[in-house]
Amino acid sequence: MAAMVVEQRELGRLSALAVYRRMAGAGRMERRRRGASLPAGRKRAKGRPRRGRAGGGGSEPEAAPPAAPPSRVELPEEAPVEAPVELPVVVPVELPVELPVVVPVEAPVVVPVEAPVDPRPEATDAGPDAKPRGGPKAMPGGARPAGKDGGGVSGLLRRLARLEDSRQRAAELFRWLLAPVAPAEFLGRHWERAPLLLRRGDPGYYAGLFSTADFDAALRGGEVHFGTHLDVTSYAEGVRETHNPSGRALPAVVWDFYQNGCSLRLLCPQAFSPTVWHFLSILQEQFGSMAGANTYLTPPGTQGFAPHYDDIEAFVLQLEGKKHWRVYRPRTDAEVLAQFSSANLTQAELGEPVLETVLEAGDLLYFPRGFIHQGDCLPDAHSLHITVSSYQRNSWGHFLEKLLPAALQMALEEDVEYRRGLPMDYLQYMGVANSDTVDARRTAFVEKVQSLIKKLVDYAPIDAAVDQRAKSFLHDCLPPVLTQSEKAQSVYGFPARWQDGGPCNVDILITKDTEVRLLRHGIVRLCNEEAGMMLYYTTENSRVYHKEEPKFLELDPEYTDSIEFLLSSYPNHVSVANLPCETLEEKISLATLLFEKGILTTKKPLAKI
């Protein structure tokens, strides 16, 4: 007992980092490797019956409440996939270093912005007006007043809310993210090809998106847990360590780790920040792929992560302070557009960087998957950045993983050639041991395989495979964030409540004259599956990655034309009477069901009649 008291007294004089190291033991201080990718109803509209079954329940998409968002978490403490990481640097460099690229990738472009770029979505993109002089080219940006909505991300989101079409909102947000580089130029020159550095000279460009105050507020909310939501990391002398205790990440412990030189990675800021949730929920429609994020807070003069590459397209947004970054080309063809994130790399494995710079607040750095990167803090300032990521497992190869098995199954069912038996003696002349053998039977066998593979294209259910990819994407999606007017015109603003001893304002009275439309264009997907016609939707998704099961409604086939009609009519409102169902009862039944699931909104708030 006396020894234990002495031990406790001794521990009481140590920092959280020292306590963790002492209690965890040497076995927990392993060199960390980056592992696998991280993770990004009750009713049925049936012919006559008004209601039936559906797939699961969920929480409503609020107008902007606190909750658990998707940074797409639930990753093992081992591997965050959402965002690239920061790493070590030897010497701080104030300007980008131009180095030749000797790779199957293009050279990075540095875009200095002489004046703050207008954050308004209406502003036009500045085009290049200067030719490169053997290196990065310069592009001017123009500043305009932000207007009554204010500047930064908060003002931007208010302006986007006035756009009727969710696809236009997504496109304008993407344009703002890349300004002054036009999206078409970015997609043609940089996307999946080469890094892009935007030096805006506007510290307030991302104002309101996320801050150290927001980080502290998340910790004080009491719902952040080590490993699940927060990683405590360090990288020194070539060793990358994670120092996660168990349980809740309370401010006193977390800030003690930070004070002792540890970096903090918040794996799902959208779970704790309504603004990050709103930002990503719009951007995901532009990508057609899950948009995730991690935030990184690093003390001055330290680094938290080893050099590595990721399997996502990364957009690093510098929110506070500054950070020194180095980016390196893929070392082999296999690392170009890498399928998986790498293990921790050593400095000796890297070669020369193709880009070296110091990011300051308002700047952006983009690099494709497979580009090695590392970042560290300069001695005179902390760094807070958010990495927005997308396009994880979203390649042609991943699409074919869905398509080819389905094509082969159809071919087996419909074409007897795929069901004929293999030659009895094929094991005698085929296989690696016989690969150099000259034999007419081998030639015939190979030609037969090639013929069947070529013919397989005729059986490929391309559209059905796309629908299955879309179904997975909808499960990955964040739920939509509703504006105040959208909330008033949806089930989430409906005035049903308990009053005077009983429920009142309960009846949802949709009539043939009620005008409706989809809440967002990208919130539903119709899939014809073996079990029937399914309508998948996102309004009941969680802000935490895959916390909920996929949400769907099982519809009778006669309702598919109405779903397609609503999609093609968006963003315009249509009257319920114009839905292409056989009877008025079916039209009202379908519209009511979709309204109750948050999928449809009305042109005017429904009033109790």
Side-chain angles (χ1 to χ4, degrees), residues 103-105 309 329-338 370 372:
V103 188
V105 290
Y309 58 79
R329 67 180 184 269
R331 299 166 299 173
T332 66
D333 288 346
E335 291 180 357
V336 175
L337 301 180
I372 302 166

Side-chain angles (χ1 to χ4, degrees), residues 34-45:
R34 290 184 59 89
S37 347
L38 84 128
R42 72 187 194 305
K43 301 179 182 175
R44 171 186 180 186

Side-chain angles (χ1 to χ4, degrees), residues 246-270:
S246 59
R248 290 186 177 179
L250 299 178
V253 179
V254 172
W255 293 130
D256 191 46
F257 272 120
Y258 175 84
Q259 191 169 265
N260 281 275
C262 292
S263 291
L264 306 174
R265 173 172 59 193
L266 188 62
L267 295 173
C268 54
Q270 56 267 47

Side-chain angles (χ1 to χ4, degrees), residues 202-424:
D202 180 5
Y205 196 77
Y206 304 123
L209 180 56
F210 194 81
S211 66
T212 45
D214 294 324
F215 205 125
D216 185 66
L219 296 176
R220 293 186 178 282
E223 297 301 323
V224 178
H225 287 73
F226 288 109
T228 303
H229 308 111
L230 182 72
D231 280 332
V232 180
T233 69
S234 64
Y235 177 77
E237 298 180 355
V239 177
R240 154 82 160 84
E241 296 175 324
T242 297
H243 314 286
N244 290 340
S246 59
R248 290 186 177 179
L250 299 178
V253 179
V254 172
W255 293 130
D256 191 46
F257 272 120
Y258 175 84
Q259 191 169 265
N260 281 275
C262 292
S263 291
L264 306 174
R265 173 172 59 193
L266 188 62
L267 295 173
C268 54
Q270 56 267 47
F272 307 97
S273 165
T275 305
V276 176
W277 168 26
H278 195 176
F279 188 90
L280 296 178
S281 71
I282 296 173
L283 199 57
Q284 67 192 4
E285 193 165 350
Q286 173 70 23
F287 288 127
S289 176
M290 186 188 82
N294 292 334
T295 58
Y296 300 83
L297 179 59
T298 308
T302 69
Q303 58 196 62
F305 296 87
H308 67 281
Y309 58 79
D310 289 299
D311 59 348
I312 45 89
E313 301 298 298
F315 297 82
V316 178
L317 284 58
Q318 189 70 29
L319 304 176
E320 295 179 11
K322 51 189 176 181
K323 176 165 277 189
H324 172 217
W325 284 87
R326 289 177 287 178
V327 181
Y328 308 79
R329 67 180 184 269
R331 299 166 299 173
T332 66
D333 288 346
E335 291 180 357
V336 175
L337 301 180
Q339 297 185 66
F340 307 102
S341 296
S342 73
N344 294 330
L345 304 175
T346 66
Q347 301 297 328
E349 297 177 273
L350 304 182
E352 292 297 318
V354 294
L355 177 67
E356 185 168 9
T357 189
V358 174
L359 285 188
E360 299 186 2
D363 293 347
L364 177 142
L365 173 62
Y366 159 82
F367 44 83
R369 53 196 188 275
F371 272 75
I372 302 166
H373 50 279
Q374 60 174 330
D376 69 315
C377 259
L378 303 180
D380 60 340
H382 76 281
S383 170
L384 177 69
H385 79 263
I386 185 169
T387 299
V388 174
S389 62
S390 192
Y391 262 61
Q392 187 181 59
R393 297 185 58 81
N394 198 43
S395 67
W396 282 105
H398 296 113
F399 172 66
L400 291 175
E401 284 181 347
K402 288 277 188 185
L403 178 63
L404 294 181
L408 182 56
Q409 184 60 40
M410 292 186 67
L412 283 166
E413 292 174 2
E414 299 182 15
D415 192 333
V416 68
E417 287 301 311
Y418 290 86
R419 301 196 298 272
R420 295 193 187 281
L422 291 163
M424 289 186 182

Side-chain angles (χ1 to χ4, degrees), residues 513-530:
D513 298 319
T514 304
E515 293 183 88
V516 297
R517 74 166 190 178
L518 293 172
L519 173 64
R520 300 278 188 277
H521 185 270
I523 62 170
V524 294
R525 191 75 183 197
L526 200 58
C527 295
N528 188 3
E529 300 182 341
E530 187 174 343

